Amino acid sequence: RQEQGSEFRRFCRVRLAGRQAEFDLMTVSEAFQNGKDFPVPDGIKPNVNFWIKIYSSVSSNSGLIHDNESMQVIYNKITFKKNSSRKSRRRQARKAVKYYQKTLRKLATGQRKNLSRDEQNILSKWPSANSNTLKKAAKNVRFQLGQADRFEKGLIRSGTYLTYIRNVFNSMGLPTKLATLPHVESSFNPKAYSHVGAAGLWQFTRPTGKRFMRVDHVVDERLDPYKATIAAAQLLQFNYNVSKSWPTA
């Protein structure tokens, strides 16, 4: 909170595609006072469409090379060999990213003659780009693994829990659309663990989980999808009381 006389401004720092952004929560709250809990502002529609593509039409055996700010800019789709190791996939993805970074840096020098077809195609992604834009684009090349097949499995698993989650959220006054959050948290896998130690259907970390559940060396209620759902509702309600905005919560 930054005190300004009798007024204060609340800020929220979040990371989007690896970049930090700061939002004035008061402005965010006002933006969402339009009768819709989850509007899609025009400014983020390209990002939304990108993630729809990742979760609906690109399998985990492939992925997209794209710009991590202008996410509508997709350079290529790469497909991995069947049964290839995780290490070899990472190597293939890194090699592809470096190729597009190198090509964009070359185009940033102003060279436009004797371009290969691939170079011309990359340049066409930035029709009005200048040297600085292309240099920045070279730094923003990113690989995103597809999730469509995993999402499909999550859809199947969700049938076990969705009715319960919606009933809990409805009884506590939360938007029932929030019941779909486990799709991106755990694909509705109550035994899921992340590499940073988040666990369960809702991917609570240990410190946050302890605020709402029993989490110790004997019992870890984060792995109980029903108790964790109640805890998730309590956390979301707490966040909403602070931010006055469900998207921010």
Side-chain angles (χ1 to χ4, degrees):
R1 295 184 179 185
Q2 181 179 345
E3 297 290 345
Q4 293 183 345
S6 60
E7 298 181 353
F8 68 86
R9 297 169 67 82
R10 293 176 295 182
F11 292 93
C12 175
R13 287 181 176 84
V14 299
R15 295 192 69 81
L16 299 172
R19 295 181 174 271
Q20 181 165 293
E22 186 176 83
F23 296 93
D24 180 338
L25 290 190
M26 302 301 287
T27 302
V28 171
S29 296
E30 291 169 3
F32 291 113
Q33 299 303 315
N34 60 0
K36 294 174 64 178
D37 286 328
F38 302 99
V40 181
D42 290 339
I44 66 170
K45 283 183 178 178
N47 298 35
V48 172
N49 291 335
F50 174 85
W51 289 109
I52 289 174
K53 184 187 295 290
I54 289 295
Y55 277 88
S56 64
S57 60
V58 184
S59 76
S60 61
N61 197 45
S62 59
L64 301 179
I65 306 293
H66 68 99
D67 187 272
N68 72 357
E69 287 189 354
S70 301
M71 299 180 80
Q72 72 276 14
V73 176
I74 298 174
Y75 297 110
N76 199 6
K77 177 180 179 181
I78 63 175
T79 301
F80 303 115
K81 293 181 180 179
K82 189 175 181 180
N83 298 324
S84 58
S85 68
R86 183 176 298 180
K87 184 176 180 180
S88 68
R89 292 182 176 208
R90 283 199 298 265
R91 187 164 51 243
Q92 184 179 344
R94 283 197 297 267
K95 182 178 179 180
V97 167
K98 288 180 180 179
Y99 168 77
Y100 286 98
Q101 289 174 330
K102 180 180 179 180
T103 303
L104 284 161
R105 285 194 293 266
K106 174 183 176 180
L107 294 171
T109 65
Q111 181 176 336
R112 296 295 181 267
K113 293 183 179 180
N114 301 319
L115 296 179
S116 68
R117 181 175 296 181
D118 200 28
E119 290 168 338
Q120 292 173 6
N121 181 57
I122 295 171
L123 184 61
S124 71
K125 305 290 184 180
W126 305 95
S128 58
N130 56 31
S131 176
N132 288 334
T133 301
L134 292 170
K135 285 180 181 179
K136 183 179 180 181
K139 296 179 181 179
N140 291 344
V141 181
R142 179 178 180 272
F143 171 75
Q144 174 59 50
L145 186 70
Q147 298 292 321
D149 51 330
R150 296 176 179 176
F151 182 62
E152 182 180 7
K153 292 176 181 177
L155 281 172
I156 295 170
R157 283 192 294 266
S158 70
T160 304
Y161 307 107
L162 266 178
T163 299
Y164 174 79
I165 296 172
R166 287 175 177 144
N167 287 340
V168 169
F169 282 21
N170 186 56
S171 68
M172 296 179 65
L174 278 67
T176 54
K177 280 188 177 182
L178 290 171
T180 59
L181 275 175
H183 277 302
V184 291
E185 294 289 353
S186 64
S187 292
F188 280 87
N189 178 6
K191 297 180 180 179
Y193 276 96
S194 79
H195 68 281
V196 295
L201 199 74
W202 291 94
Q203 289 294 280
F204 275 96
T205 60
R206 291 184 70 88
T208 306
K210 287 180 178 180
R211 291 169 54 190
F212 306 98
M213 297 171 282
R214 180 180 173 183
V215 180
D216 54 37
H217 65 286
V218 177
V219 176
D220 189 346
E221 292 184 340
R222 295 179 299 167
L223 301 176
D224 183 324
Y226 303 102
K227 290 184 178 180
T229 290
I230 296 173
Q234 292 170 334
L235 174 59
L236 287 164
Q237 184 67 65
F238 174 86
N239 291 345
Y240 177 77
N241 290 340
V242 172
S243 67
K244 307 304 180 187
S245 157
W246 284 117
T248 305

